[in-house]
């Protein structure tokens, strides 16, 4: 029997805005980027396509959405049809993006790179961005360096090889051909959990499949347990970086 992953859990339950802060945070962060109907935008690791649909609807931008998970793509495709938005949807891997060099003005990545070979993925974002183009990458970030035991615990659910600190993420971006790197939003995981004090944080969206493998409930509870346990040791940051000219 195939081993199920955290992404199978997200895809099966159709969790949209599967990143800290959800669509509300995405809206705020993207609003500063001056998108227009001629902007070429890539949503890398688009999941069920909530952000891609929002960008196409709100800015009329030329949006390409890419993910490697077949069920995510199916749900994203259904969303684009339902909402009548024009988004180019592709199956692909951020380690080998299927686009020529210098294709995009904005590459938006929300909670994806952490699950990859980070430098390879960052290198691909840099390659497909036009010189002067912008990367916005929201990623899990360690509030302090994590021990091998902590990493092992996180890896058992998320299959992450490493969880860089803010300084480490910034250093990697610098080493890969980005400049003007800044952190435009961030906080601990605890600060991103919606509660009565933070009504502006929307609850995640769900579009559950009919057949749910019961093992996915185990992944869900393991994820919940880790979220609580690491709520102050882990955070998220939105890194903004400009592709060097
Ligand atoms: C936590 S979800 C976030 C989805 C979406 N960006 C959002 O915020 O709702 C991570 C997504 O990254 C995709 N993903 C992970 N590794 C990938 C890779 N190497 N290439 C393309 N997509 C990948 C997963 O399939 C999943 O849809």
């Amino acid at each position: 029997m195939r081993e199920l992953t955290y992404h199978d859990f997200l895809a099966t339950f159709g969790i949209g805005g599967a990143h800290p802060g959800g669509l509300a945070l995405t809206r705020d962060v993207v609003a500063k980027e001056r998108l227009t109907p001629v902007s070429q935008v890539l949503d890398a690791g688009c999941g069920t396509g909530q952000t891609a649909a929002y960008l196409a609807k709100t800015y009329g931008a030329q949006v390409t959405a890419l993910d490697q998970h077949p069920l995510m793509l199916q749900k994203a495709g259904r969303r684009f049809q339902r909402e009548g938005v024009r988004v180019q949807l592709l199956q692909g891997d951020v380690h080998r993006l299927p686009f020529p060099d210098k294709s995009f003005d904005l590459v938006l990545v929300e909670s994806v790179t952490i699950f990859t070979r980070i430098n390879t993925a960052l290198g691909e974002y840099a390659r497909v961005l036009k010189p002067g183009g912008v990367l916005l990458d929201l990623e899990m970030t360690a509030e302090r360096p994590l021990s091998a035991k902590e990493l092992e615990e996180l890896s058992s659910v998320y299959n992450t090889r490493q969880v860089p600190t803010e300084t480490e993420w910034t250093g990697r971006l610098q080493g890969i051909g980005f400049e003007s790197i800044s952190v435009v939003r961030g906080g601990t995981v605890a600060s991103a959990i919606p509660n009565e004090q933070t009504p502006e944080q929307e609850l995640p969206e769900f579009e559950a499949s009919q057949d749910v493998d019961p093992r996915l409930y185990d992944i869900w509870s393991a994820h919940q347990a880790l979220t609580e346990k690491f709520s102050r040791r882990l955070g998220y940051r939105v890194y903004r970086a400009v592709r060097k000219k």
Side-chain angles (χ1 to χ4, degrees):
M1 208 189 278
R2 181 172 84 87
E3 203 178 310
L4 295 176
T5 65
Y6 174 64
H7 293 126
D8 293 322
F9 148 69
L10 292 176
T12 302
F13 288 97
I15 300 180
H19 55 266
L23 184 62
L25 180 140
T26 305
R27 272 198 218 110
D28 284 358
V29 166
V30 171
K32 301 187 176 68
E33 297 302 330
R34 301 211 188 105
L35 291 180
T36 72
V38 295
S39 304
Q40 294 287 343
V41 180
L42 172 65
D43 183 358
C46 63
T48 65
Q50 191 186 46
T51 292
Y54 169 76
L55 296 177
K57 264 190 298 199
T58 309
Y59 299 100
Q62 307 303 304
V63 182
T64 301
L66 171 139
D67 204 285
Q68 67 178 9
H69 198 291
L71 186 55
M72 290 290 197
L73 291 165
Q74 206 185 87
K75 291 189 178 181
R78 282 211 298 261
R79 177 200 300 277
F80 301 149
Q81 248 188 357
R82 193 170 62 234
E83 299 188 11
V85 290
R86 210 165 55 87
V87 172
Q88 189 194 12
L89 181 62
L90 291 177
Q91 181 159 29
D93 182 350
V94 299
H95 296 105
R96 267 174 296 119
L97 286 171
F99 309 110
D101 299 357
K102 305 178 185 169
S103 298
F104 296 99
D105 301 293
L106 175 70
V107 172
L108 181 63
V109 192
E110 298 179 304
S111 207
V112 177
T113 314
I114 192 72
F115 304 108
T116 67
R117 292 191 302 283
I118 294 175
N119 283 12
T120 306
L122 294 180
E124 280 295 90
Y125 309 151
R127 181 183 67 75
V128 302
L129 269 170
K130 296 176 187 172
V134 169
L135 170 70
L136 284 174
D137 191 355
L138 183 161
E139 293 300 336
M140 187 193 287
T141 297
E143 295 295 339
R144 53 150 177 84
L146 299 176
S147 68
K149 186 163 170 289
E150 288 171 322
L151 275 174
E152 204 177 298
E153 213 176 334
L154 292 170
S155 174
S156 69
V157 176
Y158 304 121
N159 203 16
T160 45
R161 296 166 178 83
Q162 51 219 306
V163 182
T165 59
E166 184 180 313
T167 312
E168 287 164 348
W169 275 111
T170 305
R172 282 168 187 252
L173 286 161
Q174 246 156 12
I176 271 165
F178 288 101
E179 61 187 4
S180 305
I181 299 159
S182 58
V183 171
V184 293
R185 282 282 284 273
T188 59
V189 165
S191 72
I193 298 172
N195 61 46
E196 308 83 63
Q197 272 85 53
T198 57
E200 73 284 1
Q201 287 180 10
E202 288 162 29
L203 294 172
E205 173 199 75
F206 285 86
E207 190 210 333
S209 301
Q210 280 190 335
D211 293 321
V212 176
D213 186 313
R215 290 174 298 163
L216 293 173
Y217 290 103
D218 298 335
I219 296 182
W220 194 345
S221 39
H223 162 63
Q224 296 278 45
L226 281 184
T227 302
E228 273 171 42
K229 185 166 178 186
F230 282 82
S231 67
R232 287 173 207 290
R233 275 177 273 179
L234 282 184
Y236 72 95
R237 301 288 187 275
V238 182
Y239 299 94
R240 182 182 190 280
V242 177
R243 175 75 177 101
K244 271 189 194 155
K245 294 213 167 114

